[in-house]
Amino acid sequence: RETYGAQPPVELMRQLIDTAAYAPPGAPAFGGGWYDRKTLKWKAVTDLTLIAAMGPPGGGRQVMTNRMLRHLHMLNFTTMPSDVIEAIFTTITKAFLDNTLASELSPLGAPLVQATIGLYNKTCDVLRPMPSKPHYTFNLREISKVIQGVLMADKRRTTSREDLARLWAHECQRVFSDRLINDQDRAWFLDETKNQMKEHLKLVYDKVVDTSRPLIYCDFFTPGVDPSIYEEVTSVDKLTGICKEQQTDYNEQHLPMSLVLFEDALGHVCRISRVLRQPSGNALLLGVGGSGRQSLTRLAAFIADFNVFQIEITKNYRTIEWREDLKTVLKMAGYEQQQVVFLFVDTQIADEIFLENVNNILSSGEVPNLFEESDLGTIFEKMTQILTQKGQAVTKTALYAQFISLVKKNLHVVMCMSPLGSEYTDRIRQFPSLINNTTTDWFSPWPPSALKAVARTLMSDQADTMEETVFASIVDICGAMHSSVREKSTVFLEERRRHNYVTPTSYLELISVIKLVLKQQTDRVNTRRNQLSNGLDKLNKTKSEVAVLKQQLAEQQPVLIETSAKVKDQQAQIAVDKEEALVIKEEAETSSAAAATKAAECKEIKDSAEAGLAEALPALDAAVKCLAKLDKSQIVEVKALKKPPAGVRLVLQAVCIMFAIKPGKIADPDNPQKKIEDYWGPSQKMLNDFGPDKFKQALIDFDKDNIPEAVIKLVEPICVSDEFQPEVIVKVSVACEAMCMWVQAMRKYYYVSKEVEPKRRQLAAAEVELKAASDSKAAAETKLDAVTKKVAALEAALKEAIDKMASLEEQVERATVQLSNADKLIGGLGGEAKSWEEQVGQLSEQLNHVMGDALVCAGTISYLGPFTADYRSSIIGEWLGEMKSRGLPFTPDCTLSKILADPVTVRQWNIDGLPADAFSIENGIIMSVTKRWPLMIDPQGQANKFIKLSKAGAQLKTIKASDATKKIQQTLEMGIRVGQPVLLENVLETLDPFLEPVLANQTYKDASGTLVIKLGETVIPFHQDFNLQLTTVIPNPHYAPEVSVKVTLLNFAITLSGLEDQLLVQTVETERPDLAEKKNQLVVQNAENQRKLAELQDEILYLLSNSEGNILDDTNLIDTLAVSKTTSETILVAVAEAEIAEKEIDETRAKYVPVAERGAILFFCISDLSLVDAMYQYSLSWFKALFLMATNAAEKSDDLDQRIANIINQSTYATYSNVCRSIFEVHKLMFPSRSASRSRWAPAPSTSTSGAFSSPAVSSRRVWRSLTPRGWASQRGSRSSTSRRCPSMPASTSTSRQMSRPGAGCTTRQRPMRTSFRSRGTPS
């Protein structure tokens, strides 16, 4: 419906009917049509019958134009009577009770339906839709939903009247009460439920329902049962355990969710689960962003084992992508037959067509013309199988109907919407299926019990470090802080027309920041206190050691002198003994040389003898080896021979000769008369006497060194005989071979030994001489050893004495150095002891107050960014009162800047352009501490200037919200990759969905462990140094809760004191540029000196606290401390001198303070005009330019007071004249009277024609009259806001002459142009 009532779709249909009556020439007689706008040809529509359906006007339905109704035959379907409704639902209910539950429950069918209808009628009469409650629309679907819920009763749990009545009460609450927005409506509904139960079911509600716990049913209270049981939750603790277990399983399989499952959250999980288990169950979750709607839906879907589908909004997400996503989810629910939860949030509505499509899905299960022929082919192929199995006819209509049926069965739409703003109301009105075809669940603000439960869960680690009573107080205070800010936001909206939303996410941020600030402050205070305590301990220890060192030095000096004399005596005695030792050493060396010579001679003789023996030894060894092989049997065999061969006789003869056995006498066989020598008989006797074993051993043990010469002479002829060779003998006897070799070896050894014998005798003589030389050498060495030991003993004693003397010298030197270092340390840092003791006491007190201070700081960071300074002070005052009433200690007059501000950092901020007022400093601290990216409300551009100066060294990248998408994306990607800060300027009241991953900090680790973030379709590495800051120039933006939870809103609008400082600087730069330049130099110099001073003090404490051992031994450390202290004192002198100079300059500057005060009051009076009319917008840059021109145009004077008065009057006049030309006539008295009432100034002496304000009414009116041009004054009879309007004069082209004639060039009928701070700095 258009603004003036036209309904274009209806008008097109009416045109179709109208043209049927007077069709153009050539057109069919019956049927209308339209002209094709492209071809300009007529298109006729034939064979058409129009059937229309509509509801009565109201509840989002428009009044139908009579020009359309006159063409239609109207049939009115009246509201169905209650008895008919009762009959329908009673039949259904009784059938269920008869067939499913116990038969005794059947009589309750009719009373249940009657009670439901009665409750429905009462609800429709009392709870009517209003602008704040547009979803309070009820129809017969609500009765159907209640009955449907009752039909979910399980016979395993529903066995009595009370059980069925309890289930009925629960279903009524889910259908009706869950959509109610306040406790008052819910209380009324509960009372009415009790009345209906008592009237129709004849039961008392309080006896049927346990009011000590919430009435909740779910189908997962008894895990592992198939089918699941829809039953009452009888234990909240058990339900909590089940849901926590499911949450753990979810986090293991999906992106983890950090949920605190308090009682209200559990209730919402059960409500959503109830909807999902119903056929075509859809839910509408109403609540502000951050209330847990999406997280609880995901958990409920996981419990039900459903898939969750949600679209991903990107910068270029439009209708095409939306339709593709719809196809995907409908196919999942249709031919894939998956149970799917389509989770859709109102912040994802990039086009209203999205909501229209969702409305169609809710009402009919399809989106018209969504699928193309190729898509339908796949769908029909899948559906053909199903219809064939059912035995139904396979037609396109039947196939598509089957697909839609499966979609309705398997698809569950969960719509999350914020009930704030006009968009929600409009959408509810335009798309009624959002209410009619869903079950509404209203997410109320967290109750105190939920706030406490969340705080207890998230701060469980802190609970272990403090008493239970203290922790309970902290938990209560956290809830009170949240509630107080929510209440104050309502007042803020009423008084200042500024919106601020307090969401559960803000509370979670509060708890997170409390933990962060508590840890940081505790660590900082403890570290500083420990450093100071260590420094004090070192100083005190040094003072106590000085006297001990002096006494030690006095005792060690005499001992050192005595030890030195003793060392000299020992050195003289050692010199004498060393001379004696040298003489004895020479004698010993001579004896040693003689012994060595004799030993060499003996060795030579011995070597020669051994070389000779070496010739015989191989043969001897061979004989011994052969004897070793000689067997006993072989010897016995030789012995047993009666007629031994000649070789055997020869060998045994040689053996007998070697053993000196005499031969026997036998007759010569050739001459019997003659006797010859015979060795066979003696040899036989020899073998018998020795025996085989002893004979062999006798051969081995034969004394080869003492063989008589006569024996050798007797055996010689035998040995040289050719028959007496081993190779010959072996042929006759193996045993005799060994004996032969033995005899030959003995003979050879004899001859060799005979040659070696003289050498042996010579060796024996030489050895005697060697022994004598060795004895002489040993005697000399013994004497030398005695002398050497004596000298060594003396040297050891001397060394001991020298060591003792060195030790004493070292101790004396160390004591002297320690005394010197002690004097330096005490002299340099002794004056700091008192200051350090005071600081330790202060830090100990801060440590006691750290919990209360952390609460205030965290509350300020989490909640107070959007508030103005006066509201911040008021809210903090309430918090401090709450903490005081609960006995929680805190720092007096605790503020964020007092607790967390670092003077050096703040001073640098001021140099970088941050105003020096407390409000701006708090903003700077919030920017640096908050975990969310800051979004600064910056109508005057102060935040922009500060960010650009402070981040210039980090290569800040600046982009605007109006820049091309590609530029914004590339800049963000580069900043995220390399860790550069990015400033996004001029953002509007809605943020681009493309920024969602960055704002929500949706980082994760990839397979390689690298921290990454998905920006659009690109996954990029996330640098930890990346920083994003956003600013808007809208003076009073209205950000939805969904935006507020993603960023930290900061009100950077200029304050009165801040503007006074800026105008004072500007005035002094104009009037006294020399003072301004010197002031700036002193500020920068003082800031640098203060920074160096703080660094030096930290270095001194660090060196003291981290020194190991005795600090007095570390001369380098003492010298470093001395240098640091000297530098610190020099800087202190420079700081003091600078402060004196700065004070003198400030005294001169202070004379111009009235000028700055007047200018600040004028600007804020101008700013207040926007409350009268939104078009009255004036930028600070325009005003400062106007104020500067007024200062230059003011009359010069040598009298400073007169000059200041002239500036005040000229600036007042210039502001008045320029502002009055740009506002409506009816508002022109408002500005001077507002200015006079705020400033309450007296008229200043002036020669200007402008005069001055003397009273809020009379003087301002006189000034107004005096400033009105002659042509303008003639028409002052009319006060109409539509006449006598004069545009403002552009400040950039104004001159002092023009400012003295404010009406120049103005006409009386000009339309006032809207002033914009986004224009060229001037109001138009």
Side-chain angles (χ1 to χ4, degrees):
R1 186 184 183 91
E2 294 182 346
T3 305
Y4 299 102
Q7 297 167 293
V10 176
E11 293 299 320
L12 282 174
M13 298 305 299
R14 183 187 60 79
Q15 183 181 354
L16 177 67
I17 299 173
D18 285 347
T19 55
Y22 49 89
F30 299 97
W34 304 279
Y35 280 102
D36 189 323
R37 296 179 61 186
K38 293 183 179 180
T39 63
L40 301 181
K41 294 182 179 180
W42 178 259
K43 286 192 173 183
V45 180
T46 60
D47 299 329
L48 173 68
T49 302
L50 179 62
I51 301 176
M54 60 174 286
R61 293 178 292 272
Q62 303 294 334
V63 176
M64 182 63 67
T65 173
N66 288 326
R67 293 191 297 175
M68 181 66 180
L69 291 179
R70 64 190 173 91
H71 293 296
L72 302 173
H73 177 72
M74 295 184 62
L75 297 176
N76 186 22
F77 287 79
T78 59
T79 304
M80 190 179 297
S82 296
D83 55 344
V84 176
I85 299 173
E86 180 181 344
I88 294 172
F89 286 107
T90 299
T91 303
I92 297 172
T93 307
K94 292 189 68 174
F96 172 77
L97 295 177
D98 290 337
N99 298 326
T100 304
L101 300 184
S103 57
E104 57 268 19
L105 299 179
S106 180
L108 282 179
L112 277 178
V113 174
Q114 294 169 2
T116 305
I117 296 173
L119 188 60
Y120 164 75
N121 292 331
K122 284 284 187 180
T123 303
C124 292
D125 292 340
V126 176
L127 302 179
R128 295 182 176 276
M130 300 172 60
S132 61
K133 311 171 185 178
H135 57 282
Y136 276 24
T137 55
F138 305 95
N139 52 47
L140 291 181
R141 290 185 179 89
E142 272 62 53
I143 299 177
S144 175
K145 291 175 184 177
V146 172
I147 300 303
Q148 183 182 14
V150 172
L151 299 185
M152 292 191 296
D154 194 293
K155 63 181 179 180
R156 291 169 287 182
R157 294 292 186 270
T158 309
T159 58
S160 64
R161 291 169 52 88
E162 288 76 9
D163 294 337
L164 189 60
R166 192 182 308 114
L167 175 60
W168 172 82
H170 170 265
E171 297 306 313
C172 291
Q173 290 185 15
R174 299 291 75 80
V175 174
F176 295 100
S177 184
D178 283 350
R179 74 170 59 182
L180 306 182
I181 67 173
N182 54 47
D183 293 335
Q184 180 181 356
D185 291 349
R186 283 188 284 268
W188 174 88
F189 181 81
L190 180 60
D191 291 339
E192 190 58 35
T193 303
K194 294 178 180 179
N195 295 336
Q196 295 295 332
M197 182 180 288
K198 184 177 182 180
E199 179 181 351
H200 296 284
L201 301 181
K202 311 304 179 183
L203 294 172
V204 178
Y205 182 89
D206 293 339
K207 293 182 179 180
V208 173
V209 178
D210 185 357
T211 57
S212 63
R213 63 172 184 268
L215 181 59
I216 290 292
Y217 278 67
C218 69
D219 62 346
F220 55 87
F221 191 66
T222 304
V225 179
D226 190 23
S228 59
I229 303 174
Y230 187 62
E231 59 184 320
E232 182 186 6
V233 174
T234 56
S235 172
V236 176
D237 293 339
K238 179 181 177 182
L239 180 64
T240 303
I242 294 172
C243 290
K244 284 185 177 179
E245 183 178 349
Q246 293 288 344
Q247 180 187 352
T248 303
D249 294 342
Y250 178 91
N251 291 341
E252 292 175 353
Q253 302 176 29
H254 304 83
L255 191 66
M257 296 187 303
S258 179
L259 292 177
V260 180
L261 297 173
F262 50 88
E263 191 174 283
D264 269 24
L266 294 172
H268 287 298
V269 171
C270 293
R271 292 181 180 98
I272 298 171
S273 296
R274 169 187 172 274
V275 175
L276 297 183
R277 79 187 306 269
Q278 294 177 342
S280 302
N282 304 301
L284 174 64
L285 309 183
L286 298 178
V288 297
S291 55
R293 299 166 300 174
Q294 298 184 61
S295 300
L296 296 179
T297 300
R298 294 181 185 277
L299 180 58
F302 180 79
I303 293 174
D305 199 19
F306 287 4
N307 296 320
V308 176
F309 181 88
Q310 188 171 19
I311 64 174
E312 293 184 8
I313 295 294
T314 61
K315 177 76 175 178
N316 299 318
Y317 192 92
R318 293 295 182 266
T319 305
I320 296 176
E321 291 77 14
W322 163 254
R323 291 177 67 85
E324 290 299 320
D325 283 337
L326 284 183
K327 291 179 184 179
T328 301
V329 70
L330 292 181
K331 288 177 181 179
M332 290 172 62
Y335 64 73
E336 293 180 11
Q337 298 192 40
Q338 299 181 27
Q339 291 287 349
V340 183
V341 174
F342 181 25
L343 181 58
F344 188 57
V345 188
D346 56 357
T347 56
Q348 298 172 332
I349 303 175
D351 192 324
E352 290 299 311
I353 193 66
F354 293 7
L355 209 55
E356 182 177 345
N357 294 153
V358 172
N359 183 76
N360 290 333
I361 292 174
L362 290 172
S363 60
S364 62
E366 65 170 331
V367 177
N369 302 320
L370 176 65
F371 293 105
E372 300 175 358
E373 289 297 328
S374 57
D375 299 319
L376 290 175
T378 306
I379 293 173
F380 290 165
E381 181 182 353
K382 297 286 185 178
M383 296 302 104
T384 300
Q385 302 174 5
I386 298 176
L387 290 182
T388 303
Q389 292 175 359
K390 292 182 178 181
Q392 298 180 4
V394 179
T395 63
K396 286 188 176 181
T397 304
L399 290 172
Y400 194 70
Q402 178 63 34
F403 174 75
I404 298 302
S405 174
L406 291 175
V407 169
K408 288 183 176 181
K409 176 183 176 183
N410 297 323
L411 180 62
H412 304 272
V413 178
V414 178
M415 182 75 191
C416 302
M417 298 185 70
S418 172
L420 303 174
S422 59
E423 282 188 345
Y424 164 71
T425 305
D426 295 341
R427 287 166 175 170
I428 291 297
R429 186 184 70 250
Q430 294 170 6
F431 307 106
S433 289
L434 295 179
I435 295 296
N436 295 336
N437 296 89
T438 62
T439 299
T440 306
D441 187 10
W442 179 273
F443 279 68
S444 300
W446 286 357
S449 59
L451 297 175
K452 293 179 182 179
V454 171
R456 282 189 172 276
T457 302
L458 298 181
M459 298 178 66
S460 57
D461 293 340
Q462 285 69 29
D464 299 334
T465 62
M466 60 186 70
E467 297 179 1
E468 175 59 29
T469 54
V470 176
F471 183 68
S473 299
I474 294 171
V475 169
D476 293 341
I477 291 171
C478 289
M481 293 170 69
H482 185 79
S483 301
S484 66
V485 176
R486 190 166 57 203
E487 295 170 0
K488 208 70 174 180
S489 297
T490 304
V491 179
F492 193 49
L493 177 61
E494 294 174 354
E495 294 182 354
R496 300 296 177 88
R497 301 180 188 176
R498 289 183 174 272
H499 294 269
N500 178 53
Y501 298 106
V502 183
T503 64
T505 302
S506 305
Y507 187 69
L508 298 177
E509 175 79 2
L510 170 69
I511 303 300
S512 176
V513 177
I514 286 175
K515 294 160 65 176
L516 175 65
V517 174
L518 182 61
K519 184 179 185 303
Q520 289 181 347
Q521 283 296 96
T522 303
D523 292 345
R524 182 188 67 82
V525 173
N526 277 328
T527 301
R528 188 70 174 180
R529 188 179 67 166
N530 292 337
Q531 287 180 339
L532 292 170
S533 299
N534 289 335
L536 286 172
D537 292 342
K538 296 288 175 65
L539 288 178
N540 294 332
K541 185 179 180 181
T542 300
K543 291 178 182 179
S544 63
E545 287 181 352
V546 169
V548 176
L549 289 173
K550 290 181 179 179
Q551 181 180 357
Q552 179 182 348
L553 192 60
E555 293 175 353
Q556 289 175 342
Q557 287 286 2
V559 179
L560 179 60
I561 296 172
E562 180 182 351
T563 305
S564 299
K566 184 177 179 181
V567 167
K568 290 180 181 179
D569 294 341
Q570 288 177 336
Q571 288 175 338
Q573 182 63 39
I574 288 174
V576 174
D577 291 340
K578 280 187 175 181
E579 290 293 332
E580 181 182 354
L582 287 176
V583 175
I584 297 174
K585 183 178 181 183
E586 290 177 358
E587 296 176 355
E589 288 176 350
T590 302
S591 300
S592 178
T597 302
K598 186 57 67 177
E601 182 181 345
C602 290
K603 184 177 184 300
E604 183 180 358
I605 297 171
K606 184 178 180 181
D607 291 344
S608 177
E610 290 178 349
L613 289 173
E615 296 179 5
L617 289 177
L620 182 62
D621 291 339
V624 172
K625 289 181 180 179
C626 191
L627 287 174
K629 296 179 181 179
L630 190 62
D631 190 48
K632 178 181 177 180
S633 61
Q634 295 172 342
I635 297 174
V636 172
E637 180 184 348
V638 172
K639 177 184 174 182
L641 292 174
K642 297 299 183 181
K643 292 180 178 182
V648 173
R649 284 179 175 273
L650 188 59
V651 170
L652 288 178
Q653 178 183 350
V655 171
C656 287
I657 292 171
M658 292 302 298
F659 278 103
I661 298 174
K662 294 180 179 182
K665 297 290 186 178
I666 62 170
D668 186 352
D670 297 333
N671 186 7
Q673 299 299 321
K674 187 179 178 179
K675 298 287 184 180
I676 60 174
E677 292 181 351
D678 180 36
Y679 281 92
W680 178 249
S683 63
Q684 292 284 69
K685 185 177 182 301
M686 177 187 65
L687 291 175
N688 286 332
D689 291 343
F690 281 110
D693 294 332
K694 288 184 179 181
F695 177 70
K696 179 179 178 180
Q697 191 63 37
L699 293 177
I700 294 174
D701 296 340
F702 185 78
D703 186 7
K704 59 183 177 294
D705 292 325
N706 296 306
I707 302 175
E709 185 178 356
V711 171
I712 296 300
K713 287 181 178 180
L714 290 175
V715 83
E716 180 68 20
I718 299 173
C719 290
V720 298
S721 173
D722 292 337
E723 288 81 7
F724 193 77
Q725 298 301 323
E727 58 272 14
V728 176
I729 299 301
V730 72
K731 296 177 181 178
V732 296
S733 173
V734 175
C736 290
E737 179 198 15
M739 298 177 196
C740 176
M741 291 177 64
W742 178 79
V743 173
Q744 292 283 14
M746 292 300 105
R747 170 180 169 272
K748 188 173 183 179
Y749 184 82
Y750 170 80
Y751 287 115
V752 173
S753 178
K754 186 176 181 181
E755 293 177 3
V756 173
E757 184 62 27
K759 294 180 181 179
R760 286 181 175 177
R761 289 194 295 271
Q762 187 180 358
L763 176 61
E767 286 178 346
V768 171
E769 293 176 0
L770 176 61
K771 185 177 182 304
S774 298
D775 292 342
S776 175
K777 175 185 175 183
E781 287 179 346
T782 302
K783 187 176 180 181
L784 178 62
D785 184 60
V787 175
T788 303
K789 287 182 178 179
K790 181 180 179 182
V791 173
L794 290 173
E795 286 182 343
L798 176 62
K799 184 177 182 303
E800 182 180 354
I802 291 175
D803 290 343
K804 182 178 179 182
M805 183 177 68
S807 176
L808 288 172
E809 288 177 348
E810 182 182 354
Q811 292 177 15
V812 171
E813 183 181 0
R814 180 183 176 191
T816 304
V817 172
Q818 285 182 339
L819 282 173
S820 175
N821 289 341
D823 291 339
K824 292 179 182 179
L825 186 62
I826 295 173
L829 300 179
E832 301 288 342
K834 184 177 181 181
S835 172
W836 289 356
E837 288 177 357
E838 293 176 354
Q839 290 184 48
V840 168
Q842 293 172 359
L843 291 172
S844 298
E845 187 176 356
Q846 286 183 25
L847 203 58
N848 294 332
H849 297 161
V850 69
M851 191 68 240
D853 296 344
L855 287 172
V856 173
C857 293
T860 304
I861 294 169
S862 303
Y863 291 120
L864 304 189
F867 289 96
T868 55
D870 53 341
Y871 275 84
R872 289 187 186 180
S873 300
S874 174
I875 295 172
I876 291 175
E878 294 181 9
W879 294 346
L880 295 180
E882 184 72 20
M883 287 190 285
K884 186 175 181 180
S885 65
R886 296 181 181 275
L888 188 66
F890 56 88
T891 301
D893 301 325
C894 177
T895 60
L896 181 65
S897 56
K898 187 174 183 179
I899 302 302
L900 295 185
D902 176 31
V904 176
T905 304
V906 171
R907 196 173 290 107
Q908 184 60 47
W909 286 350
N910 297 148
I911 294 174
D912 291 337
L914 183 71
D917 58 285
F919 181 77
S920 299
I921 291 173
E922 285 183 356
N923 287 339
I925 295 172
I926 295 174
M927 288 172 59
S928 63
V929 175
T930 182
K931 293 183 177 181
R932 295 177 288 179
W933 303 125
L935 170 54
M936 286 148 282
I937 303 169
D938 187 32
Q940 288 85 30
Q942 296 183 111
N944 259 21
K945 175 184 176 183
F946 167 59
I947 294 170
K948 290 178 180 178
L949 288 175
S950 62
K951 300 292 184 181
Q955 299 180 343
L956 174 72
K957 300 297 181 183
T958 303
I959 50 178
K960 292 181 171 60
S962 57
D963 287 341
T965 302
K966 186 175 181 180
K967 179 181 179 182
I968 296 176
Q969 182 173 354
Q970 290 178 345
T971 305
L972 275 177
E973 286 186 6
M974 181 59 65
I976 293 173
R977 285 180 185 274
V978 303
Q980 289 179 332
V982 176
L983 172 62
L984 179 58
E985 299 178 320
N986 299 344
V987 299
L988 303 178
E989 292 184 342
T990 56
L991 298 181
D992 198 315
F994 174 76
L995 298 172
E996 173 69 23
V998 181
L999 297 178
N1001 198 22
Q1002 294 175 355
T1003 58
Y1004 62 94
K1005 290 187 177 180
D1006 60 8
S1008 64
T1010 304
L1011 191 67
V1012 297
I1013 188 170
K1014 186 176 182 182
L1015 195 62
E1017 300 299 328
T1018 308
V1019 177
I1020 55 177
F1022 187 87
H1023 198 289
Q1024 294 290 357
D1025 294 335
F1026 170 71
N1027 184 274
L1028 174 65
Q1029 294 175 334
L1030 306 93
T1031 61
T1032 178
V1033 293
I1034 304 174
N1036 185 16
H1038 180 191
Y1039 289 107
E1042 289 73 20
V1043 176
S1044 300
V1045 300
K1046 299 173 187 175
V1047 297
T1048 296
L1049 287 174
L1050 281 178
N1051 188 346
F1052 244 96
I1054 195 168
T1055 62
L1056 184 64
S1057 60
L1059 182 56
E1060 286 179 4
D1061 290 340
Q1062 294 184 37
L1063 293 178
L1064 178 60
V1065 170
Q1066 177 178 295
T1067 304
V1068 174
E1069 286 177 348
T1070 304
E1071 295 294 302
R1072 294 290 303 274
D1074 56 329
L1075 285 181
E1077 182 179 1
K1078 188 174 181 181
K1079 169 73 174 178
N1080 292 335
Q1081 292 175 353
L1082 287 175
V1083 168
V1084 175
Q1085 177 185 348
N1086 199 21
E1088 181 64 18
N1089 286 335
Q1090 292 287 358
R1091 183 186 62 80
K1092 290 181 179 179
L1093 185 62
E1095 290 178 354
L1096 287 172
Q1097 290 176 348
D1098 291 340
E1099 181 184 9
I1100 290 172
L1101 289 173
Y1102 177 81
L1103 292 173
L1104 282 175
S1105 60
N1106 289 275
S1107 63
E1108 298 179 357
N1110 193 335
I1111 191 174
L1112 298 180
D1113 293 333
D1114 195 342
T1115 303
N1116 292 332
L1117 174 60
I1118 297 298
D1119 292 341
T1120 304
L1121 290 174
V1123 172
S1124 299
K1125 179 61 180 176
T1126 303
T1127 307
S1128 175
E1129 291 175 350
T1130 303
I1131 293 175
L1132 279 174
V1133 172
V1135 169
E1137 292 175 353
E1139 288 178 350
I1140 293 173
E1142 191 172 357
K1143 184 178 181 182
E1144 294 174 354
I1145 294 174
D1146 288 342
E1147 290 176 355
T1148 304
R1149 292 173 76 248
K1151 297 177 181 178
Y1152 292 93
V1153 169
V1155 176
E1157 290 178 346
R1158 174 63 63 88
I1161 291 174
L1162 288 173
F1163 178 76
F1164 276 90
C1165 290
I1166 296 172
S1167 299
D1168 289 345
L1169 291 176
S1170 62
L1171 302 176
V1172 178
D1173 194 308
M1175 81 168 192
Y1176 294 158
Q1177 302 286 345
Y1178 299 86
S1179 70
L1180 179 61
S1181 58
W1182 167 81
F1183 178 78
K1184 291 172 75 173
L1186 179 65
F1187 194 80
L1188 176 61
M1189 286 191 297
T1191 302
N1192 292 327
E1195 184 178 349
K1196 307 295 182 180
S1197 175
D1198 295 334
D1199 185 356
L1200 182 59
D1201 293 337
Q1202 182 61 40
R1203 172 62 178 164
I1204 291 173
N1206 293 343
I1207 295 174
I1208 291 175
N1209 289 332
Q1210 184 65 29
S1211 60
T1212 304
Y1213 165 74
T1215 304
Y1216 173 81
S1217 59
N1218 277 271
V1219 170
C1220 284
R1221 280 198 302 273
S1222 61
I1223 62 177
F1224 290 121
E1225 183 77 16
V1226 71
H1227 299 146
K1228 288 185 177 179
L1229 264 184
M1230 184 178 297
F1231 169 63
S1233 53
R1234 174 67 172 164
S1235 301
S1237 63
R1238 285 197 64 172
S1239 60
R1240 300 184 180 277
W1241 57 62
S1246 174
T1247 59
S1248 172
T1249 59
S1250 64
F1253 299 156
S1254 59
S1255 70
V1258 178
S1259 296
S1260 59
R1261 187 173 182 84
R1262 183 170 65 249
V1263 171
W1264 179 77
R1265 286 176 178 173
S1266 66
L1267 296 179
T1268 305
R1270 193 174 304 165
W1272 187 2
S1274 63
Q1275 301 184 25
R1276 290 195 55 214
S1278 172
R1279 301 297 300 275
S1280 171
S1281 62
T1282 59
S1283 63
R1284 288 172 301 286
R1285 301 165 183 164
C1286 180
S1288 167
M1289 173 186 63
S1292 58
T1293 59
S1294 297
T1295 64
S1296 59
R1297 182 183 60 81
Q1298 288 172 325
M1299 285 191 291
S1300 64
R1301 299 175 61 246
C1306 298
T1307 62
T1308 59
R1309 291 290 179 181
Q1310 287 175 313
R1311 180 180 178 87
M1313 299 175 65
R1314 179 173 181 176
T1315 300
S1316 173
F1317 52 82
R1318 288 188 294 272
S1319 63
R1320 294 172 297 173
T1322 62
S1324 302

